[in-house]
Amino acid sequence: MLTSHVPAYREFTVAKRSGGPRKICAPAPATRELQRTINRRLLRGLSAHPCATGFERGHSIVTNASVHVGKAVVLKMDVKDFFNSTDAGRVCNYFRAIGWNHETAEMLTKLCTHDGSLPQGAPTSPRLSNLVNHALDARLAGVAKSPYVAQQNPKTLERISRPPVPSLSVAYTRYADDITFSLSADDHHVVQSLIFLTKMILADYGYKLHQNRKLVIRRQHQSQRVTGLVVNHRIQLPRHTRRMLRAAEHHLVNGRPATLDEAQLAGWRAVQHMIDTQAPDTERT
């Protein structure tokens, strides 16, 4: 059945929260079931890099954000067209690398890709995007740990006579297409070096960064957000969201019209429960 199946998709677009269309490739029922089987029987037991937190068991937006709590600087970057830029050749090479012969690797690639890349909407795409990018995450995590980042010219990567910043530590995580670095000390030179090195490393894997407003640098006096959560001192929902939820709860209790219905409020309560239970214990004291 696997060898004879011809994958089929329904393509449509949805609006991005940031504006513009997002292309979705929804697999037909038979294709979706095969992809779920591949996820369950093949991909589930494979290891992504520890810094890849999106779509991974035991991780969430909370565990991703917890790495960056209380930092002097939070640097966020966004990969452009992440799934569509993860090409089928890399997927096939990954299947070969984990032991499948050429014929089987090509068959699995055919079942998991569409128009030469990972389709956004397929059940296999999130997990494969992490597995395929293990080396990418390892390199970016290595940049974060390197004491030489502060000693390089961010425009030329030439070594300069500049000692590393004392007690500076850098953390890295990736949640799907969201890349986050956080620094324990504020150093403009290090921030610029991280941006430049990230661009170079991403290019090696066929990716590009969004520029302008999707490249965000926030310091302690500003609202620092990671995967939608505020991380300045502890993990919490943004202030305007908390106010909106309190107002909606109050209106519903008093029988007045609210901006959210009970189902929407239940969803937000689930997010708050996730924060309460998954944030580090030190943040809840």
Side-chain angles (χ1 to χ4, degrees):
M1 182 179 178
L2 289 177
T3 56
S4 62
H5 180 76
V6 178
Y9 295 85
R10 180 173 63 92
E11 297 184 6
F12 57 95
T13 59
V14 297
K16 298 180 182 179
R17 285 191 304 171
S18 57
R22 184 189 303 279
K23 180 181 175 182
I24 303 296
C25 299
T31 300
R32 184 173 60 249
E33 287 308 308
L34 280 175
Q35 291 171 342
R36 286 175 174 170
T37 299
I38 291 171
N39 255 350
R40 184 173 62 254
R41 297 187 179 180
L42 173 59
L43 303 182
R44 179 179 293 177
L46 300 174
S47 297
H49 193 276
C51 292
T53 57
F55 322 120
E56 293 296 315
R57 297 177 69 182
H59 282 292
S60 68
I61 59 172
V62 177
T63 61
N64 180 71
S66 66
V67 177
H68 307 287
V69 173
K71 298 298 184 69
V73 181
V74 171
L75 166 63
K76 298 195 302 177
M77 293 174 271
D78 187 89
V79 182
K80 187 176 182 180
D81 297 327
F82 179 61
F83 287 106
N84 290 337
S85 297
T86 307
D87 66 67
R90 292 184 61 215
V91 175
C92 189
N93 289 339
Y94 174 77
F95 284 130
R96 290 297 307 277
I98 62 174
W100 297 101
N101 61 34
H102 181 74
E103 181 180 1
T104 305
E106 285 197 335
M107 178 193 68
L108 290 169
T109 301
K110 183 188 76 170
L111 292 171
C112 297
T113 60
H114 177 61
D115 287 344
S117 63
L118 291 180
Q120 185 159 357
T124 44
S125 291
R127 193 83 232 283
L128 274 172
S129 71
N130 285 343
L131 297 172
V132 168
N133 283 308
H134 192 290
L136 165 66
D137 290 319
R139 289 179 66 183
L140 291 174
V143 166
K145 294 179 180 178
S146 172
Y148 300 109
V149 172
Q151 295 178 289
Q152 293 175 329
N153 186 317
K155 294 184 178 180
T156 65
L157 291 188
E158 295 177 352
R159 292 291 297 279
I160 56 178
S161 56
R162 181 182 188 276
V165 180
S167 303
L168 174 66
S169 64
V170 182
Y172 160 74
T173 60
R174 181 179 60 81
Y175 194 97
D177 56 358
D178 292 330
I179 289 174
T180 306
F181 290 96
S182 58
L183 291 71
S184 61
D186 190 352
D187 187 285
H188 173 77
H189 191 95
V190 175
V191 170
Q192 294 305 311
S193 293
L194 287 170
I195 296 170
F196 186 76
L197 287 166
T198 299
K199 288 181 181 178
M200 288 189 61
I201 292 171
L202 286 173
D204 288 343
Y205 299 91
Y207 297 119
K208 294 181 180 179
L209 284 177
H210 277 288
Q211 298 297 312
N212 302 324
R213 62 191 178 90
K214 290 202 173 184
L215 195 159
V216 179
I217 303 169
R218 291 288 182 266
R219 293 172 169 83
Q220 270 285 309
H221 67 279
Q222 301 168 302
S223 178
Q224 299 172 322
R225 299 187 190 183
V226 178
T227 44
L229 302 175
V230 176
V231 296
N232 289 67
H233 305 290
R234 59 190 179 93
I235 296 178
Q236 57 184 340
L237 292 169
R239 181 181 299 174
H240 71 87
T241 302
R242 300 197 307 270
R243 287 176 175 173
M244 175 191 69
L245 295 177
R246 285 196 298 268
E249 293 270 14
H250 180 73
H251 284 194
L252 287 175
V253 166
N254 290 279
R256 296 161 56 191
T259 54
L260 301 174
D261 58 30
E262 278 291 351
Q264 292 170 320
L265 271 175
W268 281 110
R269 291 186 193 111
V271 174
Q272 185 61 58
H273 178 73
M274 184 168 59
I275 294 171
D276 294 339
T277 56
Q278 295 183 12
D281 290 339
T282 54
E283 297 177 20
R284 298 197 295 268
T285 58

